[in-house]
Structures are given as C-alpha cells and as structure tokens.
Amino acid sequence: MAQIEQSDKGKKKKGAQKKMSIHVDFTPMVDMNMLLITFFMLCTTMIKSQTLQITLPTNEKVEQEDKNKAKESEAITLIVTTDRDEKGDIKKDDEGRPMNIVYYYEGQPNLTDVTPDGRLVENTIKKETFLGNDGSLQRGIRKILHDRNKQVLDKIDKLKVDWREKKFSPNKDINDSIYQAKAKEIRNDSTLTRPVVIIKATPEASWESLIGALDEMQINQISRYQIDNITKTDSILILDFLGKERAK
C-alpha cells in the first residue's frame, strides 16, 4: 500500500496546533490503471504491417533439357536500357523522369536474311517505354504485357469481383489468404495462354529500369519470367533498329 505520512519532528511548543498524520491510499488508483491498460490491450486494433504482395515466379516442374526453352508463341523478350548523355548521366524528359526504354521482341529473332549493306531484312524488335495507365487503359509496355496475359487477367478480375461480393465462400467468410491462393492457382493454370517473359538489361540500363520491368510482372500477374544476360543477338537487333531509325 502506498501512503504519504506527515509527522511533527522535534519539541512541540506549548499551545501549538496538533497535526494529524495524513495517509493517502493509492491502491484503488493502481487497480484502476491496470484495468484501463487491460481494457485498451484487449479492445485496441493493432496496426497491420504493410507488406507488398509479390507475384513470385512459378515453380512448375520442367525437364532439365527444357529449362531454357519456351514455346515461341509464348516467349517475349524485354531489353531495358536508359538514355544517357556523353558524360554518362541519365537523360530526363520534359517532366523530369529518367528516359528508360524497353526494346522487345516476340518469339525467336530472324538473323538469316541480311541486305548487302549489312541490314536485317526483317527486324522484329520494337521500342516502348514505361507508362502508367490512362484511366482504365494500359499504355506502353504495360499494354503489350497485358494483352499477352489477357486470359489470366480476365479471370483474376472476375475473382476480385467475387471476392468483394463474397460469392465463392459458402459461409460468406472470405479473407485475403483465400483470395491470394485462388489467384495463384489462376496464374499457374497451364490451360490458359500465358507468356514467358525474359528480362535483359544493357550496360547503360539503370536499376530503376530493371525494377520497372519487374513491377510490370506484378501488375500484369505474370508468373513465368526470368532475368537473363543480354546476348550478341540482342545487341545486333538493337543496333540495326537504331540504324534504321536514324536513316528515316
């Protein structure tokens, strides 16, 4: 028990007023504080940790000889790079954003047909940029990837609607983990048309451009992708594309 005592010390003077000892019992206050702490601990909703949901590459089992192969109709190669000036500094556009570029081609490139001056007859490589959505419309490389993975995205969009309306839970008790599990099943559904994306980076590419490509994998729900080294073939395609652009 906590208490405060007040007592007279020394000799008492004749006729002095008699002082009583004062006792203050703090026990009820301590009990009340403990009850309040217990109440707040039980009733307070703790802040949920903000975590990033990452669409990891699929762990589909493939034979050893097929690990570096993909159907030509499914394969799409992205080569990210960044425009730089003569000093090696990153160029920026009118809005102050780094000028990150994405070259891409589908399937296998054709390097067999060459003109007498060394130009490729059929260069399938194309050029795009990282652009956000314009309302509900995709732009830039995002639109290319969205169109290639449309079957998966359509199913996941329907799943989101069902999740919000709690249609696929008999007891109407749906949580995020059930949604994530069903979305993963859709991303890894081999019966759907899904792209296999190979991401490469030139020596001039910034980390931001590579991270931007990985972000597009998450946004477009693409589960089959990998980061690879740029090859001589890729360099030939880009140089031929730039040569034709300058000649226009």
Side-chain angles (χ1 to χ4, degrees), residues 33-78:
N33 288 337
M34 294 304 296
L35 287 172
L36 286 173
I37 291 171
T38 304
F39 171 78
F40 288 127
M41 287 178 63
L42 295 175
C43 298
T44 301
T45 301
M46 300 298 178
I47 297 175
K48 294 182 179 179
S49 60
Q50 299 296 320
T51 57
L52 175 65
Q53 294 292 340
I54 298 177
T55 304
L56 297 175
T58 179
N59 59 351
E60 294 176 11
K61 293 183 179 179
V62 294
E63 298 297 330
Q64 184 65 33
E65 60 270 17
D66 294 333
K67 281 188 177 180
N68 295 322
K69 298 180 182 178
K71 290 182 182 178
E72 189 171 351
S73 60
E74 296 176 346
I76 178 169
T77 302
L78 308 183

Side-chain angles (χ1 to χ4, degrees), residues 151-181:
Q151 288 188 10
V152 171
L153 289 169
D154 287 346
K155 279 206 160 192
I156 290 181
D157 286 342
K158 184 178 182 304
L159 178 68
K160 287 179 181 177
V161 174
D162 293 344
W163 178 31
R164 293 189 188 102
E165 298 178 1
K166 300 183 178 180
K167 287 183 178 179
F168 55 90
S169 179
N171 59 359
K172 305 299 182 184
D173 183 17
I174 182 64
N175 55 40
D176 184 65
S177 61
I178 296 176
Y179 166 77
Q180 293 297 338

Side-chain angles (χ1 to χ4, degrees), residues 38-224:
T38 304
F39 171 78
F40 288 127
M41 287 178 63
L42 295 175
C43 298
T44 301
T45 301
M46 300 298 178
I47 297 175
K48 294 182 179 179
S49 60
Q50 299 296 320
T51 57
L52 175 65
Q53 294 292 340
I54 298 177
T55 304
L56 297 175
T58 179
N59 59 351
E60 294 176 11
K61 293 183 179 179
V62 294
E63 298 297 330
Q64 184 65 33
E65 60 270 17
D66 294 333
K67 281 188 177 180
N68 295 322
K69 298 180 182 178
K71 290 182 182 178
E72 189 171 351
S73 60
E74 296 176 346
I76 178 169
T77 302
L78 308 183
I79 306 171
V80 297
T81 189
T82 304
D83 268 357
R84 297 178 181 269
D85 57 22
E86 296 177 353
K87 297 180 180 178
D89 296 329
I90 297 174
K91 292 183 180 179
K92 296 186 178 180
D93 59 18
D94 297 336
E95 297 180 4
R97 295 175 301 188
M99 297 179 66
N100 295 317
I101 300 169
V102 185
Y103 296 100
Y104 74 96
Y105 60 86
E106 300 174 351
Q108 292 290 335
N110 180 14
L111 300 180
T112 55
D113 299 330
V114 183
T115 61
D117 60 349
R119 300 282 179 87
L120 296 176
V121 174
E122 184 182 2
N123 189 349
T124 57
I125 200 167
K126 297 175 184 176
K127 181 181 178 181
E128 271 296 350
T129 55
F130 293 107
L131 291 173
N133 291 356
D134 183 7
S136 60
L137 298 177
Q138 296 80 25
R139 300 184 298 168
I141 194 63
R142 183 173 301 175
K143 176 173 171 48
I144 306 300
L145 296 172
H146 179 276
D147 293 344
R148 291 298 301 268
N149 204 35
K150 194 171 188 306
Q151 288 188 10
V152 171
L153 289 169
D154 287 346
K155 279 206 160 192
I156 290 181
D157 286 342
K158 184 178 182 304
L159 178 68
K160 287 179 181 177
V161 174
D162 293 344
W163 178 31
R164 293 189 188 102
E165 298 178 1
K166 300 183 178 180
K167 287 183 178 179
F168 55 90
S169 179
N171 59 359
K172 305 299 182 184
D173 183 17
I174 182 64
N175 55 40
D176 184 65
S177 61
I178 296 176
Y179 166 77
Q180 293 297 338
K182 287 185 174 291
K184 184 177 180 181
E185 288 178 8
I186 295 173
R187 288 194 296 268
N188 295 336
D189 188 352
S190 59
T191 63
L192 301 176
T193 301
R194 301 172 299 156
V196 178
V197 182
I198 301 153
I199 303 171
K200 302 181 180 182
T202 67
E204 295 79 21
S206 63
W207 279 107
E208 183 182 1
S209 62
L210 183 59
I211 292 171
L214 293 174
D215 284 343
E216 294 300 331
M217 301 300 107
Q218 315 304 319
I219 293 169
N220 291 285
Q221 302 287 338
I222 295 174
S223 62
R224 300 192 297 174

Side-chain angles (χ1 to χ4, degrees), residues 4-8 19-23:
I4 298 176
E5 294 184 356
Q6 183 174 334
S7 61
D8 295 326
K19 294 184 180 180
M20 303 294 293
S21 297
I22 299 173
H23 300 274

